Amino acid sequence: MSKPTPISGFPEWTPDQRMIEQYVLDRIRSTFERYGFAPLETRAVEPLDQLLRKGETSKEVYLLRRLQADVDGPAGDDALGLHFDLTVPFARYVLENAGKLQFPFRRYQIQKVWRGERPQEGRYREFLQADIDIVDRDTLAPHHEAEMPLVIGDALRSLPIPPVRIQVNNRKICEGFYRGLGLTDPEAALRAVDKLDKIGPVRVAELLIAAAGATEAQAKAVLALAEISAPDASFADAVNALGVSHPLLDEGVAELVQVMQTAAEHAPGLCVADLRIARGLDYYTGTVYETQLVGYERFGSICSGGRYDNLASAGAVAFPGVGISIGVTRLLGLLFGAGALTISRQVPTCVVVAVASEAQRAVSNRVAETLRARGISTEVAPSAAKFGKQIRYAERRGIPYVWFPGADEDEVKDIRTGAQVPARAEVWEPPAADLRPMVS
Amino acid sequence: MSKPTPISGFPEWTPDQRMIEQYVLDRIRSTFERYGFAPLETRAVEPLDQLLRKGETSKEVYLLRRLQADVDGPAGDDALGLHFDLTVPFARYVLENAGKLQFPFRRYQIQKVWRGERPQEGRYREFLQADIDIVDRDTLAPHHEAEMPLVIGDALRSLPIPPVRIQVNNRKICEGFYRGLGLTDPEAALRAVDKLDKIGPVRVAELLIAAAGATEAQAKAVLALAEISAPDASFADAVNALGVSHPLLDEGVAELVQVMQTAAEHAPGLCVADLRIARGLDYYTGTVYETQLVGYERFGSICSGGRYDNLASAGAVAFPGVGISIGVTRLLGLLFGAGALTISRQVPTCVVVAVASEAQRAVSNRVAETLRARGISTEVAPSAAKFGKQIRYAERRGIPYVWFPGADEDEVKDIRTGAQVPARAEVWEPPAADLRPMVS
């Protein structure tokens, strides 16, 4: 057959990049678990009506169809699509299993999602997300909205990546302010403000007038709100100075003040109140988050989320939630592209045991067994070639040690320095820095 | 909305089952890495022509279609399907990246796969597999076929599951024997023998006569071969005693003898030569493996694979490989169903820090930070309710400790015994058995 080619939007890492990704995922998972989030995985598919319940994402869904569906007759699979985020499936899971869960329910979920979007730098059709969410029954205490950035700050600080800045806003501030101004379609206004980074203030003002029915003065006030940014709760003074009042605005300001005060107390410098943050997905109802890598702001947000009050509800029972999602593939793709992440070797292997002849392979196997039982990743050379060739096998993969079984005594060679010393598999230890591949 | 319901064939674990699954995956991954297998993930989708290249699996494929494909015009996505195993995508990956890889290439891959099959006990439409494979360029040394069961034996021995028995056969034995008998369609004969467990010897004999053109004597000989089973290389004597000869038969016997001798040397009792093992997928060309849980043989194989010489080839260059795959979802589904796996709590959390009043939440947050920084999974109580209610929050989740910040001195309570003692977050340690949830 001819050589296969990549499929645009479906990235595949090399094994050494995948080792870096696993290192990153292990760190993220460990942080999430230290905060008491329980793991969850949901199936990759949801009924189409679930996927289309909220938001403007309908055009991004991949539907499934069984190849032989016409032969076997309809199987109902035609109504299944791949999930495009982990929040909608989680809300469905909570509704389906509410009777078995303890509330508030804290879960993390690290899975691939799929969107049929046009691929571009940092945008994929298949990508990995790492989410945390907290949902409660009936009401959700606002301190959970303040906890989210602290968890994410901890998780991202544990990674070999640039420092981050979490930008926080509250939809109630925007909606309350727009209503206080007299605008009747606050959603249209929010959608216009959401485009600020892309099209700039002049065109957003035009859009506010054309699509959200704003006057020039109202458009100017909307933009003035969006320009407010502060590293602490002082953003509230700037909002008040604009002279608009509405009960929802007051509620939103009080909630954002709590988030900013908690952040200042527990993680100074992590959060900034940034009132231009809108988030496209329609299901957010309160606090919203985006995250910039300091020095790589051009990458856009690598971690986003917010509070949603109406995503999961069954009859009279509602399950309000708050969540945030790290775009792992996006983050790694950008950092790999910038050459900002490397690993010390291409394989987990620390030692290759040389093979003197095929008849003596069992001797080398036994050395390898002893080393592995002590937690040292070990391969046996694939052929009883000349030792020079066996050393090159290790060298090409960045494996630091080659082990030579001997009649009386074994020896181990550090192939970087050439130093070869007597060794016993029962006791030999590599330096800690050589035991596993190092990410930097 | 109405309460959502499960989708048949797409299992979802509860968070405590997912914790068990993660424990199992961590063990498997750690073993694979100790043998020097590098991690790989491939995209979930493959071009349909790749998926249909080999085997009888075409009817199981899920195709993708973008919901808005008709609006946006054709996107080429119609020719993409979800992968149904990890071997075909791996072979494609090797061909695509051959120039960048070092051979022999050892990789492991732990991912979901999808098949549009009719769901039944232990059979799913979405399930998780954990695969190892070794491929080489042009030729692959046969000792790799002997290595596979040792790695898998080690990986499965590290899990809290019953002991396993790996059944090994070699397709060359079957094909050579059938050809030596004078049968002209050995594949049809193999397909008949593959049904032995399902339909029994009488109906297999009928099938051999009807579909593979065998005489009654030939069918009897084919069944006699399939009945051979031995815990060591003595199977070869039983094959010889049947009095059939063919060069391919000799080759297969020699290869299986090597696998059985290596197994006897390094993992006595792990493997059995079982000449009825056929494996359905057409791409196997040599050694084949299946795996039974001792005492749960009725579950069928939980780990299967084999050698494939022709799956990955481009022009004159071939990449023969050997691999084996643990059916993780199948294994866990069966053990969960049998109540054979449990975990000591439903969340990772070891300590809940009580909150005296919302105004003092920051005090409790600081205790939690100190404990987390020392690796102890900690939550802060979600509300400043009466302490009895905060203790019940922990109790319902199986969390062993509740921490009470005090004006002078903190105290920690083991809620299983009721014992409450003074403690400092900077130095307090739970017993090792309480630090993480325990799987048994």
Side-chain angles (χ1 to χ4, degrees):
Chain A
M1 61 172 290
S2 59
K3 192 182 157 192
T5 51
I7 302 177
S8 177
F10 292 88
E12 291 188 322
W13 306 141
T14 58
D16 50 328
Q17 289 174 328
R18 172 64 183 157
M19 283 198 286
I20 296 173
E21 184 176 61
Q22 283 191 326
Y23 173 91
V24 163
L25 295 176
D26 286 346
R27 292 290 180 111
I28 291 173
R29 172 181 154 198
S30 161
T31 303
F32 289 170
E33 291 183 352
R34 268 187 292 116
Y35 280 81
F37 290 87
L40 184 71
E41 274 204 353
T42 56
R43 62 191 186 223
V45 303
E46 295 293 333
L48 186 57
D49 56 353
Q50 280 284 345
L51 294 173
L52 301 187
R53 274 175 63 212
K54 291 278 172 183
E56 36 177 325
T57 47
S58 59
K59 68 170 179 290
E60 304 170 353
V61 173
Y62 278 114
L63 292 180
L64 294 194
R65 177 167 64 83
R66 288 202 298 137
L67 181 58
Q68 302 286 316
D70 45 330
V71 179
D72 299 1
D77 293 349
D78 278 345
L80 297 179
L82 295 174
H83 55 212
F84 57 81
D85 73 2
L86 301 176
T87 312
V88 170
F90 173 58
R92 187 268 310 157
Y93 182 90
V94 168
L95 280 183
E96 187 176 320
N97 297 282
K100 288 184 263 174
L101 300 173
Q102 300 289 344
F103 292 95
F105 177 48
R106 303 160 70 86
R107 81 87 178 79
Y108 73 92
Q109 192 167 347
I110 301 178
Q111 277 182 265
K112 295 274 174 67
V113 305
W114 294 268
R115 296 184 190 178
E117 292 180 344
R118 189 168 314 152
Q120 45 183 292
E121 203 207 359
R123 266 199 201 279
Y124 303 101
R125 295 186 148 190
E126 174 178 57
F127 53 100
L128 188 63
Q129 293 198 182
D131 283 31
I132 46 171
D133 285 84
I134 304 174
V135 288
D136 206 343
R137 189 191 289 266
D138 301 327
T139 58
L140 177 74
H143 63 76
H144 294 300
E145 285 156 82
E147 186 184 6
M148 289 284 127
L150 302 183
V151 185
I152 290 297
D154 240 16
L156 295 176
R157 209 165 23 242
S158 76
L159 304 180
I161 64 171
V164 301
R165 186 189 300 117
I166 302 182
Q167 303 156 283
V168 194
N169 192 7
N170 191 304
R171 285 229 174 152
K172 293 177 189 170
I173 295 179
C174 302
E175 188 182 340
F177 188 89
Y178 303 162
R179 289 196 187 279
L181 272 180
L183 290 175
T184 50
D185 189 352
E187 284 196 10
L190 200 67
R191 274 197 298 276
V193 171
D194 198 24
K195 298 193 168 68
L196 200 48
D197 281 341
K198 263 191 210 151
I199 64 175
V202 176
R203 289 192 51 204
V204 168
E206 289 167 11
L207 207 56
L208 284 166
I209 293 165
T215 63
E216 271 192 43
Q218 287 170 329
K220 213 172 143 186
V222 167
L223 285 169
L225 183 77
E227 272 160 27
I228 293 172
S229 171
D232 51 36
S234 71
F235 79 91
D237 304 329
V239 175
N240 288 336
L242 295 177
V244 175
S245 80
H246 191 275
L248 198 59
L249 173 61
D250 295 343
E251 208 177 305
V253 167
E255 288 174 8
L256 186 52
V257 163
Q258 185 178 356
V259 172
M260 292 307 295
Q261 282 176 344
T262 303
E265 177 134 20
H266 298 283
L270 177 65
C271 289
V272 56
D274 195 332
L275 272 51
R276 72 164 62 200
I277 301 301
R279 303 299 309 143
L281 290 172
D282 277 349
Y283 51 64
Y284 296 121
T285 52
T287 305
V288 287
Y289 316 96
E290 293 198 352
T291 308
Q292 293 178 327
L293 283 179
V294 176
Y296 294 81
E297 288 79 2
R298 67 185 186 283
F299 283 0
S301 177
I302 53 110
C303 176
S304 313
R307 171 163 180 148
Y308 45 89
D309 280 346
N310 308 316
L311 196 53
S313 55
V317 191
F319 298 92
V322 61
I324 192 162
S325 172
I326 303 174
V328 179
T329 304
R330 180 178 172 76
L331 175 64
L332 291 178
L334 295 166
L335 292 172
F336 288 151
L341 280 174
T342 55
I343 190 161
S344 60
R345 54 188 193 246
Q346 297 166 37
V347 291
T349 318
C350 179
V351 179
V352 170
V353 183
V355 175
S357 72
E358 280 304 327
Q360 288 172 276
R361 177 168 293 277
V363 174
S364 301
N365 282 346
R366 271 193 294 276
V367 171
E369 274 164 32
T370 306
L371 292 171
R372 285 180 197 129
R374 299 179 48 243
I376 300 167
S377 173
T378 307
E379 287 178 53
V380 176
S383 85
K386 288 191 179 137
F387 282 155
K389 203 177 162 195
Q390 298 190 41
I391 291 170
R392 275 197 302 282
Y393 174 92
E395 210 163 35
R396 275 200 296 264
R397 290 159 175 81
I399 301 169
Y401 297 97
V402 176
W403 191 283
F404 299 95
D408 301 325
E409 185 175 73
D410 293 2
E411 296 195 342
V412 64
K413 184 194 207 66
D414 181 334
I415 64 172
R416 297 160 300 186
T417 64
Q420 186 164 334
V421 296
R424 285 176 48 222
E426 294 78 11
V427 295
W428 178 81
E429 301 256 3
D434 285 340
L435 186 60
R436 276 171 243 291
M438 298 271 279
V439 174
S440 54
Chain B
M1 62 173 289
S2 58
K3 191 181 158 192
T5 50
I7 302 176
S8 176
F10 292 87
E12 289 188 317
W13 306 141
T14 59
D16 49 328
Q17 289 174 327
R18 173 64 183 157
M19 283 198 287
I20 296 173
E21 183 176 61
Q22 284 191 325
Y23 174 90
V24 163
L25 294 176
D26 286 345
R27 292 290 180 109
I28 290 173
R29 173 182 153 196
S30 161
T31 303
F32 289 170
E33 291 184 351
R34 268 187 293 116
Y35 279 81
F37 290 87
L40 185 70
E41 275 204 353
T42 57
R43 62 192 185 221
V45 303
E46 295 293 334
L48 186 58
D49 56 352
Q50 280 286 343
L51 294 173
L52 302 186
R53 273 174 65 213
K54 291 277 172 185
E56 35 176 328
T57 47
S58 60
K59 68 170 179 291
E60 304 171 353
V61 173
Y62 277 115
L63 292 180
L64 294 194
R65 176 167 66 82
R66 288 203 298 137
L67 181 58
Q68 302 286 316
D70 45 328
V71 178
D72 299 359
D77 293 348
D78 278 346
L80 297 179
L82 294 174
H83 56 213
F84 57 81
D85 73 1
L86 302 176
T87 312
V88 170
F90 173 58
R92 187 268 311 157
Y93 182 90
V94 168
L95 280 182
E96 187 176 319
N97 297 281
K100 289 185 265 175
L101 301 173
Q102 300 289 343
F103 292 96
F105 176 49
R106 302 159 70 87
R107 83 86 178 83
Y108 74 91
Q109 192 167 345
I110 301 178
Q111 278 181 261
K112 294 275 175 65
V113 305
W114 294 269
R115 295 184 190 177
E117 291 181 345
R118 190 169 314 153
Q120 46 183 294
E121 203 207 0
R123 268 201 200 277
Y124 303 100
R125 295 187 147 192
E126 174 178 58
F127 52 101
L128 189 64
Q129 293 198 190
D131 283 31
I132 45 172
D133 284 85
I134 303 174
V135 288
D136 206 344
R137 190 192 289 266
D138 301 327
T139 59
L140 176 75
H143 63 76
H144 294 300
E145 286 156 81
E147 185 184 7
M148 289 283 127
L150 302 183
V151 185
I152 290 298
D154 239 16
L156 295 176
R157 209 166 24 242
S158 76
L159 304 180
I161 63 171
V164 300
R165 186 188 300 117
I166 301 180
Q167 304 157 284
V168 194
N169 191 8
N170 192 305
R171 286 229 173 150
K172 293 178 189 171
I173 294 178
C174 302
E175 187 182 340
F177 187 89
Y178 303 162
R179 289 195 188 280
L181 272 179
L183 290 175
T184 51
D185 189 353
E187 283 197 10
L190 199 67
R191 274 197 299 274
V193 170
D194 198 24
K195 300 193 166 68
L196 200 49
D197 282 341
K198 262 192 210 151
I199 63 176
V202 175
R203 291 191 49 205
V204 168
E206 288 167 11
L207 207 55
L208 284 166
I209 292 164
T215 64
E216 272 192 41
Q218 286 170 329
K220 212 174 144 187
V222 166
L223 285 169
L225 182 78
E227 272 159 26
I228 293 172
S229 172
D232 51 36
S234 71
F235 80 90
D237 304 330
V239 174
N240 287 337
L242 295 179
V244 175
S245 81
H246 190 274
L248 198 60
L249 174 60
D250 296 343
E251 209 177 305
V253 167
E255 288 174 7
L256 187 52
V257 163
Q258 185 178 355
V259 172
M260 293 305 296
Q261 282 175 344
T262 303
E265 176 133 19
H266 298 284
L270 176 66
C271 289
V272 56
D274 195 331
L275 273 49
R276 72 163 63 199
I277 301 302
R279 302 300 307 142
L281 291 172
D282 278 348
Y283 51 64
Y284 295 122
T285 51
T287 305
V288 287
Y289 317 95
E290 292 197 353
T291 308
Q292 292 178 328
L293 283 179
V294 175
Y296 293 81
E297 288 79 1
R298 66 183 187 283
F299 283 0
S301 177
I302 52 112
C303 176
S304 314
R307 172 163 179 146
Y308 45 89
D309 280 347
N310 308 316
L311 196 54
S313 54
V317 190
F319 297 92
V322 61
I324 192 163
S325 173
I326 303 175
V328 179
T329 304
R330 181 177 172 78
L331 175 64
L332 291 178
L334 295 165
L335 292 171
F336 288 152
L341 278 174
T342 55
I343 190 160
S344 60
R345 54 187 192 248
Q346 297 167 35
V347 290
T349 318
C350 179
V351 178
V352 171
V353 182
V355 175
S357 73
E358 281 304 328
Q360 287 172 277
R361 178 168 292 277
V363 175
S364 301
N365 281 347
R366 272 193 294 274
V367 171
E369 274 164 33
T370 306
L371 292 171
R372 285 180 197 129
R374 298 177 49 241
I376 299 166
S377 174
T378 306
E379 287 178 54
V380 176
S383 84
K386 287 188 179 142
F387 282 155
K389 203 176 161 197
Q390 297 190 42
I391 291 170
R392 276 198 299 282
Y393 174 92
E395 210 164 36
R396 275 199 296 266
R397 291 160 175 81
I399 301 169
Y401 298 97
V402 176
W403 191 284
F404 299 97
D408 300 325
E409 186 175 71
D410 294 1
E411 296 197 340
V412 64
K413 183 191 205 72
D414 181 334
I415 64 173
R416 297 159 302 188
T417 64
Q420 186 164 335
V421 295
R424 286 176 48 222
E426 294 78 11
V427 295
W428 178 80
E429 301 256 5
D434 285 339
L435 186 60
R436 274 171 245 291
M438 297 270 280
V439 174
S440 55

